[in-house]
């Protein structure tokens, strides 16, 4: 390495050293974690792969097909179609694009009406801006999930004279980790022939691996393609899948949905391109394939169980200090009631702890990711109680 290169790396290191490190356990509000160590070698191996021009990278393209099959396996779909893309935002926008295309095929001037839970991630706002969608958001019930009775009445009343084109349901909502009752929603959608998109960006790599002892009584965890009218699912390897970013995924029920996404790509090796992003790395494909092979269901089950065990440990410790949770955790997301969560989160930040806050309820929100251990939790509880003393 020549002097100039060394200097450049030294300079970069200074910037990088200012970033937080997952292993310090102070990042408590992120849905990403430290990528699995195997990722490093794979990133280097696939550095120049570009699935935007798949004819030049047929090996990586074939691998993408295999990863989508593996996704199909955990989502109960033998015939999946989809892509490994940049993340949950791109996946959700892609799904909204399909709903819009299907709707406009029936009637090109139609208003596109979509039922969207109040707990939906803000990526759907971006989709609305881009595609001029009309969202209807039913109230939440006492369990912080979409009120299905309201949804049913709304659809049956035909309050939207253009009809409902799609329903978004969430499996692991960003704020609280709750799961909509997708079984009930699916029955309504089937009856009225409505498309369901499930946002399982976070829950997709948790729910299938959640041990029985962590499942709440009378809670419906079903979310995948085994349910009628679930036509697309967002599931992100770069969240609980432990892949390095960017690795998100959109999976469709079958290949018939491709036609809604394809645009002509005359100067590339493939005639059509379906993904929103053109030039796109194959790194997400390779890392996801490798980690799913390496860890398998058993490995993911162990990771999820550890996170759930730590979530309950956090609840126990906070209760000792009279802090209260909003709900019993459904997934590895813990909420802490707080009269002024913004103020508390800023005080915590001054002490070096990064938590986030909820929008639908006055509470702090802690994502108990694999990089969080019991010592981190003990230290955090001390810091939180100190905030309250000050
Ligand atoms: C449920 C859900 N969907 C979508 C997203 C967006 O994912 P990304 O940040 O990878 O684009 C998130 C991110 O937190 C999420 O929690």
């Amino acid at each position: 390495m020549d002097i100039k290169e060394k200097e450049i790396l030294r300079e970069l290191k200074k910037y990088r050293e200012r970033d937080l490190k997952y292993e310090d356990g102070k990042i408590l509000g992120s849905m990403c974690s430290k990528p699995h160590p195997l990722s490093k070698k794979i990133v280097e191996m696939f550095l120049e792969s570009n699935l935007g021009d798949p004819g030049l990278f047929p090996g990586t393209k074939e691998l993408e097909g295999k990863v989508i099959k593996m996704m199909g396996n955990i989502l109960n779909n033998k015939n999946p179609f989809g892509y490994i893309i940049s993340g949950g935002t791109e996946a959700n926008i892609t799904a909204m694009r399909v709903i819009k295309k299907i709707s406009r095929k029936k009637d090109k001037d139609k208003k596109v009406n979509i039922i969207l839970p109040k707990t939906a991630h803000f990526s759907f706002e971006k989709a609305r801006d881009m595609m001029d969608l009309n969202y209807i958001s039913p109230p939440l019930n006492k369990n912080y999930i979409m009120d299905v009775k309201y949804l049913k009445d709304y659809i049956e009343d035909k309050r939207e004279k253009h009809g409902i084109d799609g329903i978004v349901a969430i499996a692991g909502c960003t704020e609280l980790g709750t799961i909509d009752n997708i079984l009930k929603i699916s029955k309504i959608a089937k009856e009225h022939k409505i498309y369901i998109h499930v946002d399982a960006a976070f829950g997709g790599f948790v729910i299938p691996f959640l041990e029985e002892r962590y499942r709440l009584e009378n809670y419906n965890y079903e979310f995948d393609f085994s349910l009628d009218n679930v036509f697309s699912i967002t599931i992100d390897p770069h969240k609980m899948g432990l892949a390095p970013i960017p690795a998100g995924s959109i999976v469709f029920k079958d290949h018939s949905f491709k036609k809604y996404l394809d645009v002509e790509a005359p100067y590339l090796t493939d005639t059509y391109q379906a993904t929103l992003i053109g030039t796109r790395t194959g790194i997400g494909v390779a890392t996801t394939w490798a980690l799913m092979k390496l860890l398998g269901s058993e490995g993911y089950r162990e990771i999820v169980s550890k996170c759930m065990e730590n979530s309950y440990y956090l609840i126990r410790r906070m209760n000792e200090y009279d802090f209260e949770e909003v709900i019993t955790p459904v997934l590895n997301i813990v909420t802490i009631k707080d009269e002024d969560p913004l103020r508390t989160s800023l005080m915590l930040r001054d002490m070096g702890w990064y938590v986030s806050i909820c929008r639908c309820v006055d509470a702090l929100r802690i994502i108990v990711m694999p990089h969080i251990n019991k010592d981190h939790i003990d230290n955090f509880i001390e810091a939180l109680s100190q905030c309250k003393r000050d």
Side-chain angles (χ1 to χ4, degrees), residues 253-281:
K253 177 110 181 151
D254 58 47
H255 207 265
S256 69
F257 292 90
K258 186 172 187 297
K259 60 179 175 293
Y260 300 113
L261 295 171
D262 274 342
V263 296
E264 273 186 54
Y267 50 84
L268 299 179
T269 47
D270 241 9
T271 326
Y272 295 99
Q273 188 172 85
T275 50
L276 285 175
I277 290 182
T279 301
R280 67 186 170 102
T281 177

PDB file of all heavy atoms in Angstrom, residues 253-281:
ATOM      1  N   LYS A 253     -46.624 -13.900  -4.504  1.00  0.00           N
ATOM      2  CA  LYS A 253     -47.250 -15.231  -4.480  1.00  0.00           C
ATOM      3  C   LYS A 253     -46.730 -16.108  -5.635  1.00  0.00           C
ATOM      4  O   LYS A 253     -46.436 -17.270  -5.456  1.00  0.00           O
ATOM      5  CB  LYS A 253     -48.770 -15.052  -4.609  1.00  0.00           C
ATOM      6  CG  LYS A 253     -49.546 -16.325  -4.680  1.00  0.00           C
ATOM      7  CD  LYS A 253     -50.343 -16.513  -3.428  1.00  0.00           C
ATOM      8  CE  LYS A 253     -51.113 -17.797  -3.452  1.00  0.00           C
ATOM      9  NZ  LYS A 253     -51.316 -18.330  -2.125  1.00  0.00           N
ATOM     10  N   ASP A 254     -46.619 -15.507  -6.827  1.00  0.00           N
ATOM     11  CA  ASP A 254     -46.108 -16.263  -7.966  1.00  0.00           C
ATOM     12  C   ASP A 254     -45.617 -15.309  -9.055  1.00  0.00           C
ATOM     13  O   ASP A 254     -45.694 -14.090  -8.916  1.00  0.00           O
ATOM     14  CB  ASP A 254     -47.180 -17.226  -8.521  1.00  0.00           C
ATOM     15  CG  ASP A 254     -48.432 -16.487  -8.932  1.00  0.00           C
ATOM     16  OD1 ASP A 254     -48.314 -15.454  -9.630  1.00  0.00           O
ATOM     17  OD2 ASP A 254     -49.538 -16.929  -8.548  1.00  0.00           O
ATOM     18  N   HIS A 255     -45.143 -15.903 -10.146  1.00  0.00           N
ATOM     19  CA  HIS A 255     -44.499 -15.149 -11.216  1.00  0.00           C
ATOM     20  C   HIS A 255     -45.464 -14.220 -11.967  1.00  0.00           C
ATOM     21  O   HIS A 255     -45.045 -13.301 -12.663  1.00  0.00           O
ATOM     22  CB  HIS A 255     -43.868 -16.171 -12.181  1.00  0.00           C
ATOM     23  CG  HIS A 255     -42.698 -15.637 -12.908  1.00  0.00           C
ATOM     24  ND1 HIS A 255     -42.803 -15.090 -14.169  1.00  0.00           N
ATOM     25  CD2 HIS A 255     -41.399 -15.530 -12.546  1.00  0.00           C
ATOM     26  CE1 HIS A 255     -41.628 -14.683 -14.551  1.00  0.00           C
ATOM     27  NE2 HIS A 255     -40.745 -14.927 -13.600  1.00  0.00           N
ATOM     28  N   SER A 256     -46.762 -14.446 -11.801  1.00  0.00           N
ATOM     29  CA  SER A 256     -47.725 -13.657 -12.591  1.00  0.00           C
ATOM     30  C   SER A 256     -47.677 -12.164 -12.229  1.00  0.00           C
ATOM     31  O   SER A 256     -48.172 -11.330 -12.979  1.00  0.00           O
ATOM     32  CB  SER A 256     -49.145 -14.199 -12.388  1.00  0.00           C
ATOM     33  OG  SER A 256     -49.564 -13.926 -11.066  1.00  0.00           O
ATOM     34  N   PHE A 257     -47.066 -11.826 -11.092  1.00  0.00           N
ATOM     35  CA  PHE A 257     -47.028 -10.408 -10.684  1.00  0.00           C
ATOM     36  C   PHE A 257     -45.916  -9.627 -11.380  1.00  0.00           C
ATOM     37  O   PHE A 257     -45.896  -8.404 -11.333  1.00  0.00           O
ATOM     38  CB  PHE A 257     -46.896 -10.299  -9.154  1.00  0.00           C
ATOM     39  CG  PHE A 257     -48.142 -10.777  -8.458  1.00  0.00           C
ATOM     40  CD1 PHE A 257     -48.287 -12.106  -8.089  1.00  0.00           C
ATOM     41  CD2 PHE A 257     -49.195  -9.905  -8.222  1.00  0.00           C
ATOM     42  CE1 PHE A 257     -49.458 -12.560  -7.489  1.00  0.00           C
ATOM     43  CE2 PHE A 257     -50.371 -10.339  -7.621  1.00  0.00           C
ATOM     44  CZ  PHE A 257     -50.503 -11.661  -7.253  1.00  0.00           C
ATOM     45  N   LYS A 258     -45.034 -10.358 -12.044  1.00  0.00           N
ATOM     46  CA  LYS A 258     -43.879  -9.693 -12.679  1.00  0.00           C
ATOM     47  C   LYS A 258     -44.331  -8.680 -13.738  1.00  0.00           C
ATOM     48  O   LYS A 258     -43.758  -7.605 -13.880  1.00  0.00           O
ATOM     49  CB  LYS A 258     -42.953 -10.750 -13.290  1.00  0.00           C
ATOM     50  CG  LYS A 258     -41.648 -10.188 -13.845  1.00  0.00           C
ATOM     51  CD  LYS A 258     -40.704 -11.308 -14.257  1.00  0.00           C
ATOM     52  CE  LYS A 258     -39.334 -10.802 -14.651  1.00  0.00           C
ATOM     53  NZ  LYS A 258     -39.288  -9.930 -15.790  1.00  0.00           N
ATOM     54  N   LYS A 259     -45.392  -9.038 -14.448  1.00  0.00           N
ATOM     55  CA  LYS A 259     -45.828  -8.174 -15.564  1.00  0.00           C
ATOM     56  C   LYS A 259     -46.207  -6.758 -15.097  1.00  0.00           C
ATOM     57  O   LYS A 259     -46.139  -5.811 -15.870  1.00  0.00           O
ATOM     58  CB  LYS A 259     -46.975  -8.809 -16.342  1.00  0.00           C
ATOM     59  CG  LYS A 259     -48.213  -9.086 -15.536  1.00  0.00           C
ATOM     60  CD  LYS A 259     -49.302  -9.704 -16.422  1.00  0.00           C
ATOM     61  CE  LYS A 259     -50.539 -10.119 -15.644  1.00  0.00           C
ATOM     62  NZ  LYS A 259     -50.317 -11.245 -14.712  1.00  0.00           N
ATOM     63  N   TYR A 260     -46.588  -6.634 -13.819  1.00  0.00           N
ATOM     64  CA  TYR A 260     -46.968  -5.303 -13.326  1.00  0.00           C
ATOM     65  C   TYR A 260     -45.742  -4.450 -13.024  1.00  0.00           C
ATOM     66  O   TYR A 260     -45.850  -3.244 -12.819  1.00  0.00           O
ATOM     67  CB  TYR A 260     -47.826  -5.430 -12.060  1.00  0.00           C
ATOM     68  CG  TYR A 260     -49.100  -6.203 -12.306  1.00  0.00           C
ATOM     69  CD1 TYR A 260     -49.306  -7.447 -11.726  1.00  0.00           C
ATOM     70  CD2 TYR A 260     -50.086  -5.690 -13.145  1.00  0.00           C
ATOM     71  CE1 TYR A 260     -50.466  -8.168 -11.964  1.00  0.00           C
ATOM     72  CE2 TYR A 260     -51.254  -6.399 -13.385  1.00  0.00           C
ATOM     73  CZ  TYR A 260     -51.436  -7.641 -12.798  1.00  0.00           C
ATOM     74  OH  TYR A 260     -52.579  -8.336 -13.041  1.00  0.00           O
ATOM     75  N   LEU A 261     -44.597  -5.092 -12.945  1.00  0.00           N
ATOM     76  CA  LEU A 261     -43.378  -4.372 -12.542  1.00  0.00           C
ATOM     77  C   LEU A 261     -42.444  -4.078 -13.718  1.00  0.00           C
ATOM     78  O   LEU A 261     -41.671  -3.117 -13.673  1.00  0.00           O
ATOM     79  CB  LEU A 261     -42.602  -5.211 -11.519  1.00  0.00           C
ATOM     80  CG  LEU A 261     -43.280  -5.444 -10.171  1.00  0.00           C
ATOM     81  CD1 LEU A 261     -42.495  -6.469  -9.353  1.00  0.00           C
ATOM     82  CD2 LEU A 261     -43.397  -4.142  -9.392  1.00  0.00           C
ATOM     83  N   ASP A 262     -42.507  -4.924 -14.744  1.00  0.00           N
ATOM     84  CA  ASP A 262     -41.532  -4.839 -15.836  1.00  0.00           C
ATOM     85  C   ASP A 262     -41.613  -3.537 -16.626  1.00  0.00           C
ATOM     86  O   ASP A 262     -42.697  -3.101 -17.004  1.00  0.00           O
ATOM     87  CB  ASP A 262     -41.774  -5.995 -16.820  1.00  0.00           C
ATOM     88  CG  ASP A 262     -41.046  -7.250 -16.387  1.00  0.00           C
ATOM     89  OD1 ASP A 262     -40.115  -7.151 -15.572  1.00  0.00           O
ATOM     90  OD2 ASP A 262     -41.411  -8.339 -16.883  1.00  0.00           O
ATOM     91  N   VAL A 263     -40.437  -2.943 -16.839  1.00  0.00           N
ATOM     92  CA  VAL A 263     -40.350  -1.888 -17.864  1.00  0.00           C
ATOM     93  C   VAL A 263     -39.269  -2.324 -18.851  1.00  0.00           C
ATOM     94  O   VAL A 263     -38.358  -3.079 -18.492  1.00  0.00           O
ATOM     95  CB  VAL A 263     -39.992  -0.501 -17.263  1.00  0.00           C
ATOM     96  CG1 VAL A 263     -41.066   0.014 -16.327  1.00  0.00           C
ATOM     97  CG2 VAL A 263     -38.647  -0.524 -16.564  1.00  0.00           C
ATOM     98  N   GLU A 264     -39.370  -1.847 -20.082  1.00  0.00           N
ATOM     99  CA  GLU A 264     -38.373  -2.238 -21.081  1.00  0.00           C
ATOM    100  C   GLU A 264     -37.032  -1.639 -20.722  1.00  0.00           C
ATOM    101  O   GLU A 264     -36.942  -0.482 -20.298  1.00  0.00           O
ATOM    102  CB  GLU A 264     -38.804  -1.769 -22.463  1.00  0.00           C
ATOM    103  CG  GLU A 264     -39.693  -2.798 -23.140  1.00  0.00           C
ATOM    104  CD  GLU A 264     -40.021  -2.430 -24.569  1.00  0.00           C
ATOM    105  OE1 GLU A 264     -39.081  -2.193 -25.346  1.00  0.00           O
ATOM    106  OE2 GLU A 264     -41.221  -2.360 -24.864  1.00  0.00           O
ATOM    107  N   ALA A 265     -35.983  -2.438 -20.890  1.00  0.00           N
ATOM    108  CA  ALA A 265     -34.624  -1.980 -20.566  1.00  0.00           C
ATOM    109  C   ALA A 265     -33.748  -2.238 -21.790  1.00  0.00           C
ATOM    110  O   ALA A 265     -32.948  -3.166 -21.812  1.00  0.00           O
ATOM    111  CB  ALA A 265     -34.109  -2.726 -19.351  1.00  0.00           C
ATOM    112  N   PRO A 266     -33.916  -1.418 -22.835  1.00  0.00           N
ATOM    113  CA  PRO A 266     -33.368  -1.764 -24.143  1.00  0.00           C
ATOM    114  C   PRO A 266     -31.845  -1.922 -24.215  1.00  0.00           C
ATOM    115  O   PRO A 266     -31.353  -2.672 -25.021  1.00  0.00           O
ATOM    116  CB  PRO A 266     -33.825  -0.615 -25.041  1.00  0.00           C
ATOM    117  CG  PRO A 266     -34.362   0.444 -24.158  1.00  0.00           C
ATOM    118  CD  PRO A 266     -34.624  -0.144 -22.825  1.00  0.00           C
ATOM    119  N   TYR A 267     -31.108  -1.236 -23.371  1.00  0.00           N
ATOM    120  CA  TYR A 267     -29.644  -1.324 -23.516  1.00  0.00           C
ATOM    121  C   TYR A 267     -28.975  -2.258 -22.513  1.00  0.00           C
ATOM    122  O   TYR A 267     -27.774  -2.223 -22.314  1.00  0.00           O
ATOM    123  CB  TYR A 267     -29.015   0.077 -23.487  1.00  0.00           C
ATOM    124  CG  TYR A 267     -29.473   0.920 -22.314  1.00  0.00           C
ATOM    125  CD1 TYR A 267     -28.861   0.809 -21.076  1.00  0.00           C
ATOM    126  CD2 TYR A 267     -30.545   1.828 -22.454  1.00  0.00           C
ATOM    127  CE1 TYR A 267     -29.289   1.545 -19.998  1.00  0.00           C
ATOM    128  CE2 TYR A 267     -30.981   2.571 -21.365  1.00  0.00           C
ATOM    129  CZ  TYR A 267     -30.352   2.422 -20.143  1.00  0.00           C
ATOM    130  OH  TYR A 267     -30.786   3.153 -19.075  1.00  0.00           O
ATOM    131  N   LEU A 268     -29.780  -3.080 -21.840  1.00  0.00           N
ATOM    132  CA  LEU A 268     -29.194  -4.021 -20.874  1.00  0.00           C
ATOM    133  C   LEU A 268     -29.278  -5.459 -21.400  1.00  0.00           C
ATOM    134  O   LEU A 268     -29.873  -5.701 -22.458  1.00  0.00           O
ATOM    135  CB  LEU A 268     -29.922  -3.923 -19.525  1.00  0.00           C
ATOM    136  CG  LEU A 268     -29.864  -2.564 -18.818  1.00  0.00           C
ATOM    137  CD1 LEU A 268     -30.637  -2.600 -17.514  1.00  0.00           C
ATOM    138  CD2 LEU A 268     -28.426  -2.143 -18.550  1.00  0.00           C
ATOM    139  N   THR A 269     -28.711  -6.395 -20.638  1.00  0.00           N
ATOM    140  CA  THR A 269     -28.695  -7.791 -21.101  1.00  0.00           C
ATOM    141  C   THR A 269     -30.056  -8.474 -20.975  1.00  0.00           C
ATOM    142  O   THR A 269     -30.300  -9.495 -21.592  1.00  0.00           O
ATOM    143  CB  THR A 269     -27.661  -8.602 -20.281  1.00  0.00           C
ATOM    144  OG1 THR A 269     -27.846  -8.305 -18.888  1.00  0.00           O
ATOM    145  CG2 THR A 269     -26.244  -8.273 -20.687  1.00  0.00           C
ATOM    146  N   ASP A 270     -30.927  -7.948 -20.147  1.00  0.00           N
ATOM    147  CA  ASP A 270     -32.289  -8.492 -20.017  1.00  0.00           C
ATOM    148  C   ASP A 270     -33.238  -7.511 -20.693  1.00  0.00           C
ATOM    149  O   ASP A 270     -33.035  -6.307 -20.615  1.00  0.00           O
ATOM    150  CB  ASP A 270     -32.654  -8.572 -18.523  1.00  0.00           C
ATOM    151  CG  ASP A 270     -32.934  -9.991 -18.083  1.00  0.00           C
ATOM    152  OD1 ASP A 270     -32.667 -10.901 -18.893  1.00  0.00           O
ATOM    153  OD2 ASP A 270     -33.398 -10.190 -16.939  1.00  0.00           O
ATOM    154  N   THR A 271     -34.277  -8.013 -21.313  1.00  0.00           N
ATOM    155  CA  THR A 271     -35.192  -7.120 -22.040  1.00  0.00           C
ATOM    156  C   THR A 271     -35.986  -6.217 -21.085  1.00  0.00           C
ATOM    157  O   THR A 271     -36.357  -5.115 -21.435  1.00  0.00           O
ATOM    158  CB  THR A 271     -36.195  -7.979 -22.853  1.00  0.00           C
ATOM    159  OG1 THR A 271     -35.509  -9.146 -23.274  1.00  0.00           O
ATOM    160  CG2 THR A 271     -36.753  -7.239 -24.031  1.00  0.00           C
ATOM    161  N   TYR A 272     -36.277  -6.744 -19.918  1.00  0.00           N
ATOM    162  CA  TYR A 272     -37.106  -5.987 -18.966  1.00  0.00           C
ATOM    163  C   TYR A 272     -36.411  -5.849 -17.613  1.00  0.00           C
ATOM    164  O   TYR A 272     -35.616  -6.704 -17.239  1.00  0.00           O
ATOM    165  CB  TYR A 272     -38.444  -6.705 -18.738  1.00  0.00           C
ATOM    166  CG  TYR A 272     -39.290  -6.765 -19.977  1.00  0.00           C
ATOM    167  CD1 TYR A 272     -39.322  -7.927 -20.758  1.00  0.00           C
ATOM    168  CD2 TYR A 272     -40.055  -5.671 -20.377  1.00  0.00           C
ATOM    169  CE1 TYR A 272     -40.094  -7.977 -21.900  1.00  0.00           C
ATOM    170  CE2 TYR A 272     -40.827  -5.725 -21.523  1.00  0.00           C
ATOM    171  CZ  TYR A 272     -40.840  -6.874 -22.280  1.00  0.00           C
ATOM    172  OH  TYR A 272     -41.590  -6.934 -23.415  1.00  0.00           O
ATOM    173  N   GLN A 273     -36.768  -4.770 -16.910  1.00  0.00           N
ATOM    174  CA  GLN A 273     -36.289  -4.640 -15.529  1.00  0.00           C
ATOM    175  C   GLN A 273     -37.502  -4.390 -14.626  1.00  0.00           C
ATOM    176  O   GLN A 273     -38.354  -3.556 -14.950  1.00  0.00           O
ATOM    177  CB  GLN A 273     -35.299  -3.486 -15.416  1.00  0.00           C
ATOM    178  CG  GLN A 273     -34.626  -3.428 -14.067  1.00  0.00           C
ATOM    179  CD  GLN A 273     -33.510  -2.401 -14.015  1.00  0.00           C
ATOM    180  OE1 GLN A 273     -33.767  -1.229 -13.772  1.00  0.00           O
ATOM    181  NE2 GLN A 273     -32.278  -2.828 -14.231  1.00  0.00           N
ATOM    182  N   ALA A 274     -37.548  -5.091 -13.515  1.00  0.00           N
ATOM    183  CA  ALA A 274     -38.731  -5.013 -12.648  1.00  0.00           C
ATOM    184  C   ALA A 274     -38.487  -4.224 -11.364  1.00  0.00           C
ATOM    185  O   ALA A 274     -39.425  -3.670 -10.791  1.00  0.00           O
ATOM    186  CB  ALA A 274     -39.188  -6.430 -12.283  1.00  0.00           C
ATOM    187  N   THR A 275     -37.244  -4.183 -10.900  1.00  0.00           N
ATOM    188  CA  THR A 275     -36.989  -3.536  -9.605  1.00  0.00           C
ATOM    189  C   THR A 275     -36.970  -2.015  -9.751  1.00  0.00           C
ATOM    190  O   THR A 275     -36.677  -1.484 -10.824  1.00  0.00           O
ATOM    191  CB  THR A 275     -35.630  -4.001  -9.032  1.00  0.00           C
ATOM    192  OG1 THR A 275     -34.651  -3.851 -10.049  1.00  0.00           O
ATOM    193  CG2 THR A 275     -35.696  -5.430  -8.571  1.00  0.00           C
ATOM    194  N   LEU A 276     -37.289  -1.330  -8.645  1.00  0.00           N
ATOM    195  CA  LEU A 276     -37.289   0.145  -8.678  1.00  0.00           C
ATOM    196  C   LEU A 276     -35.881   0.671  -8.899  1.00  0.00           C
ATOM    197  O   LEU A 276     -35.650   1.593  -9.678  1.00  0.00           O
ATOM    198  CB  LEU A 276     -37.803   0.694  -7.336  1.00  0.00           C
ATOM    199  CG  LEU A 276     -39.294   0.611  -7.091  1.00  0.00           C
ATOM    200  CD1 LEU A 276     -39.617   1.084  -5.689  1.00  0.00           C
ATOM    201  CD2 LEU A 276     -40.065   1.435  -8.108  1.00  0.00           C
ATOM    202  N   ILE A 277     -34.934   0.061  -8.190  1.00  0.00           N
ATOM    203  CA  ILE A 277     -33.551   0.499  -8.316  1.00  0.00           C
ATOM    204  C   ILE A 277     -32.908  -0.250  -9.476  1.00  0.00           C
ATOM    205  O   ILE A 277     -33.075  -1.463  -9.612  1.00  0.00           O
ATOM    206  CB  ILE A 277     -32.807   0.270  -6.981  1.00  0.00           C
ATOM    207  CG1 ILE A 277     -33.379   1.275  -5.960  1.00  0.00           C
ATOM    208  CG2 ILE A 277     -31.303   0.455  -7.145  1.00  0.00           C
ATOM    209  CD1 ILE A 277     -32.762   1.245  -4.604  1.00  0.00           C
ATOM    210  N   GLY A 278     -32.203   0.496 -10.335  1.00  0.00           N
ATOM    211  CA  GLY A 278     -31.594  -0.116 -11.525  1.00  0.00           C
ATOM    212  C   GLY A 278     -30.333  -0.861 -11.140  1.00  0.00           C
ATOM    213  O   GLY A 278     -30.361  -2.071 -10.884  1.00  0.00           O
ATOM    214  N   THR A 279     -29.241  -0.143 -11.061  1.00  0.00           N
ATOM    215  CA  THR A 279     -27.982  -0.760 -10.661  1.00  0.00           C
ATOM    216  C   THR A 279     -28.115  -1.205  -9.218  1.00  0.00           C
ATOM    217  O   THR A 279     -28.399  -0.389  -8.335  1.00  0.00           O
ATOM    218  CB  THR A 279     -26.844   0.275 -10.777  1.00  0.00           C
ATOM    219  OG1 THR A 279     -26.803   0.719 -12.130  1.00  0.00           O
ATOM    220  CG2 THR A 279     -25.515  -0.318 -10.383  1.00  0.00           C
ATOM    221  N   ARG A 280     -27.964  -2.497  -8.975  1.00  0.00           N
ATOM    222  CA  ARG A 280     -28.140  -2.960  -7.578  1.00  0.00           C
ATOM    223  C   ARG A 280     -27.141  -4.083  -7.284  1.00  0.00           C
ATOM    224  O   ARG A 280     -26.893  -4.959  -8.112  1.00  0.00           O
ATOM    225  CB  ARG A 280     -29.594  -3.364  -7.289  1.00  0.00           C
ATOM    226  CG  ARG A 280     -30.078  -4.571  -8.007  1.00  0.00           C
ATOM    227  CD  ARG A 280     -31.578  -4.821  -7.789  1.00  0.00           C
ATOM    228  NE  ARG A 280     -31.985  -5.876  -8.707  1.00  0.00           N
ATOM    229  CZ  ARG A 280     -32.173  -7.132  -8.344  1.00  0.00           C
ATOM    230  NH1 ARG A 280     -32.042  -7.491  -7.099  1.00  0.00           N
ATOM    231  NH2 ARG A 280     -32.511  -8.045  -9.242  1.00  0.00           N
ATOM    232  N   THR A 281     -26.619  -4.020  -6.087  1.00  0.00           N
ATOM    233  CA  THR A 281     -25.565  -4.971  -5.702  1.00  0.00           C
ATOM    234  C   THR A 281     -26.101  -6.395  -5.504  1.00  0.00           C
ATOM    235  O   THR A 281     -27.263  -6.575  -5.116  1.00  0.00           O
ATOM    236  CB  THR A 281     -24.879  -4.490  -4.403  1.00  0.00           C
ATOM    237  OG1 THR A 281     -23.911  -5.462  -4.009  1.00  0.00           O
ATOM    238  CG2 THR A 281     -25.879  -4.295  -3.272  1.00  0.00           C
TER     239      THR A 281
END
